[in-house]
Amino acid sequence: MRTHLPSATTAARRLSQRAAWRSSWLEFSALVLITVVLVDCLSRPWNQPPMLAPLLAVPPALAGIGAATVRRPLGYGAVSLLAAIAIAAKPTEYAPWLPVTTIFTVVIITAVATAGTAVNVLQERRIAAVTSVAEAAQRALLRPPPPRLGPLGFDVVYVAAAAEAKVGGDLYEAVATSAHGIRMIMGDVRGKGLGAVELATDVLGMFREQAHDACTLAELATRLDAGLGRGLGRHEEFVTALLVEIDPESGRTSIFNCGHPPPLLIPAARDGAATRRVTLLEVPAPAPPLGLLALGDCSDAQLIHALQPDDQLLLYTDGVTEARDAKRAFYPLPDRVSVLAAKAAGSQAAGKALLKPVSSVGVRQGQSQGLLDLVRTDLHKHVGAPLDDDAALLLVQAPAAWPAAQIAKAPARATA
């Protein structure tokens, strides 16, 4: 299994298509308006004033709204100006000042729309430059875990929020330790912006170092909390986190929850069922978030579970479960995963891994889709718009058989 981060190509293509659609409607409406004004004003007798002439100032004003280049308001203004000059060339007995006033108004509106567009384009370029740097820093921070650690396979998806809130504090990591199996973290920094990214960097740095030394997940959480406590005066934030430890020999899984959404257990396929009965692995009482750990009781924040062969474990942030549709309904992740997991398994060839490899550009090879691809598509379909918050999903795939079970069966086979 390979990891991947979603490319912005699809989103950019969709935005471009929407912009082109809006531009076509604007051009059509402006053409109809200018045509109606010309026909009405030029067909009137000389003793009737051209009352619709001031409407020629509307097209350049509308063209300046959301324009990506100054050419659009300038072009619309030029067409409106030519129409106003044509109307002014026809003599009229009443209100002879109206055509001249219309010309003056069109020129002023076009100048204002052009200047406003130029300022907006300059600001958008500056924001895009800053955002691209921030995104590059965030991608360097969120290094995808390797496609395989020991017997476990990994897949990850990071769904960015709307452009104005693109830089968030979601974090994830998986490391293989020599004494404590494979340890993972999924976290979410309260707040957004570069401060959240900085805090996420601190947490990931501490986790990568402490995951090899801390004897238990509770001790690991305490060390991360202590490290954050030394910097709270600087950040004034906290981090919800889920710590997971899996024994690569037996599949014994330990979960320590610090105020984070519980992981989803996706059992292996049984008899080609249309749905999977997913389970939330909830601890008896979650501990407070990292940075606030000392304020609560952590004695019941841990859960032990035996991960079975071919089971999957889905870790995620609240950007997934708190995504709302037009009716303000939350995304029902457990219910949707129950259906999508079976669909993903059914789309794969028999005997092949559930998660397909990715190419160098981050697109899955083949026609089949993995579970996280389906969840991401379904999430966007549910929301119908860019997410308000970042969303991260980390999928862990158990092997077809744990090494300890294979060793236990070997003597029996030899005796037989």
Side-chain angles (χ1 to χ4, degrees):
M1 290 179 282
R2 298 287 184 90
T3 55
H4 70 283
L5 288 175
S7 172
T9 304
T10 303
R13 186 183 298 112
R14 290 176 180 174
L15 291 176
S16 177
Q17 292 174 349
R18 292 178 182 176
W21 182 83
R22 290 194 297 266
S23 178
S24 299
W25 271 106
L26 179 59
E27 292 174 0
F28 176 77
S29 302
L31 179 61
V32 171
L33 177 62
I34 294 174
T35 302
V36 170
V37 171
L38 277 175
V39 171
D40 179 81
C41 294
L42 296 180
S43 62
R44 285 177 176 268
W46 67 278
N47 58 351
Q48 294 183 9
M51 299 301 297
L52 295 183
L55 292 178
L56 293 175
V58 174
L62 294 179
I65 301 176
T69 174
V70 296
R71 293 180 180 179
R72 194 167 79 171
L74 281 175
Y76 281 62
V79 175
S80 294
L81 182 60
L82 291 176
I85 293 174
I87 294 174
K90 181 181 179 180
T92 179
E93 180 181 1
Y94 296 100
W97 48 268
L98 189 56
V100 178
T101 303
T102 299
I103 293 176
F104 179 78
T105 303
V106 169
V107 171
I108 295 298
I109 294 298
T110 300
V112 172
T114 302
T117 300
V119 173
N120 290 336
V121 169
L122 181 60
Q123 290 179 343
E124 288 178 359
R125 288 178 179 175
R126 291 177 178 175
I127 294 174
V130 173
T131 302
S132 63
V133 172
E135 286 182 338
Q138 192 176 35
R139 286 180 178 271
L141 165 68
L142 292 177
R143 298 195 302 264
R148 185 167 293 278
L149 284 175
L152 299 179
F154 290 89
D155 194 24
V156 65
V157 157
Y158 186 91
V159 184
E164 62 272 11
K166 187 167 287 187
V167 181
D170 290 3
L171 58 100
Y172 51 80
E173 182 61 288
V175 297
T177 67
S178 58
H180 310 294
I182 299 171
R183 285 180 166 177
M184 291 156 275
I185 185 173
M186 173 66 74
D188 188 2
V189 177
R190 175 185 173 273
K192 283 193 169 295
L194 294 180
V197 175
E198 183 181 359
L199 190 56
T201 305
D202 293 343
V203 174
L204 285 178
M206 289 186 292
F207 173 80
R208 289 163 182 160
E209 178 182 358
Q210 300 295 338
H212 297 273
D213 300 328
C215 294
T216 64
L217 291 182
E219 180 183 347
L220 177 58
T222 301
R223 293 188 181 190
L224 296 177
D225 178 79
L228 287 179
R230 291 190 289 269
L232 280 183
R234 176 163 52 101
H235 297 289
E236 298 182 355
E237 301 287 2
F238 59 82
V239 183
T240 66
L242 191 70
L243 301 175
V244 180
E245 176 184 300
I246 299 179
D247 183 353
E249 297 296 323
S250 65
R252 183 179 183 272
T253 302
S254 300
I255 299 171
F256 193 90
N257 195 327
C258 299
H260 198 80
L264 275 177
L265 173 65
I266 309 170
R270 298 289 186 268
D271 303 325
T275 61
R276 305 277 191 94
R277 187 176 180 180
V278 303
T279 305
L280 285 172
L281 297 182
E282 298 182 278
V283 301
L290 299 178
L292 306 175
L293 202 61
L295 302 180
D297 184 8
C298 302
S299 58
D300 289 328
Q302 186 159 328
L303 174 71
I304 305 298
H305 176 78
L307 196 63
Q308 299 300 313
D310 287 328
D311 282 356
Q312 294 172 295
L313 197 63
L314 180 61
L315 284 61
Y316 54 93
T317 59
D318 59 9
V320 180
T321 52
E322 294 183 0
R324 296 173 182 262
D325 61 9
K327 297 181 180 179
R328 309 302 296 167
F330 291 113
Y331 180 69
L333 180 64
D335 295 338
R336 297 305 302 151
V337 167
S338 298
V339 178
L340 297 175
K343 183 178 179 181
S347 68
Q348 303 293 331
K352 290 186 178 180
L354 177 63
L355 301 177
K356 301 293 287 183
V358 295
S359 66
S360 60
V361 294
V363 180
R364 292 183 182 276
Q365 298 172 349
Q367 299 298 321
S368 58
Q369 286 186 303
L371 175 58
L372 294 192
D373 287 324
L374 296 175
V375 172
R376 179 175 56 188
T377 302
D378 192 62
L379 179 63
H380 281 301
K381 182 178 178 181
H382 175 83
V383 177
L387 301 184
D388 293 329
D389 192 9
D390 292 355
L393 301 104
L394 177 66
L395 186 65
V396 184
Q397 172 76 55
W402 293 105
Q406 293 177 325
I407 294 175
K409 292 179 179 180
R413 292 175 182 171
T415 302

